[in-house]
Amino acid sequence: MLADIEAGYIGVKELAARLAVSSRSVWRLIERRDLGVVRVGRRTLISRAEVARWLAGNETQTLGAHTSNIARQLAAR
């Protein structure tokens, strides 16, 4: 059951790797409240749906053409 719940979330380091940015860049998005998080113990998780929403809203401003591919990959997991 826990694996099913976690499938809808992604960690900060994994998200940074998928977006090809630093973990610090992801933390800045979290600090600015551009991305909402769920904290489970010491873990900080971000909803994949939240990431897809953020990417769709920032497609032309920040990540360009790769955004829709990344959004699809995140949504598929």
Side-chain angles (χ1 to χ4, degrees):
M1 181 171 154
L2 185 57
D4 293 337
I5 293 169
E6 287 182 346
Y9 293 87
I10 187 168
V12 172
K13 286 183 183 179
E14 184 181 353
L15 179 58
R18 289 181 177 267
L19 296 177
V21 298
S22 68
S23 293
R24 184 67 196 133
S25 294
V26 174
W27 280 110
R28 284 187 192 113
L29 292 172
I30 293 167
E31 290 167 1
R32 288 194 324 233
R33 299 185 187 262
D34 288 342
L35 288 175
V37 299
V38 174
R39 297 195 194 274
V40 180
R42 299 172 103 181
R43 296 176 65 192
T44 299
L45 301 173
I46 304 142
S47 163
R48 292 178 187 272
E50 175 82 5
V51 174
R53 179 202 56 77
W54 180 82
L55 287 171
N58 292 286
E59 186 168 1
T60 57
Q61 295 175 3
T62 57
L63 298 174
H66 300 293
T67 303
S68 37
N69 289 335
I70 295 168
R72 279 195 294 275
Q73 289 173 4
L74 290 169
R77 291 185 169 236

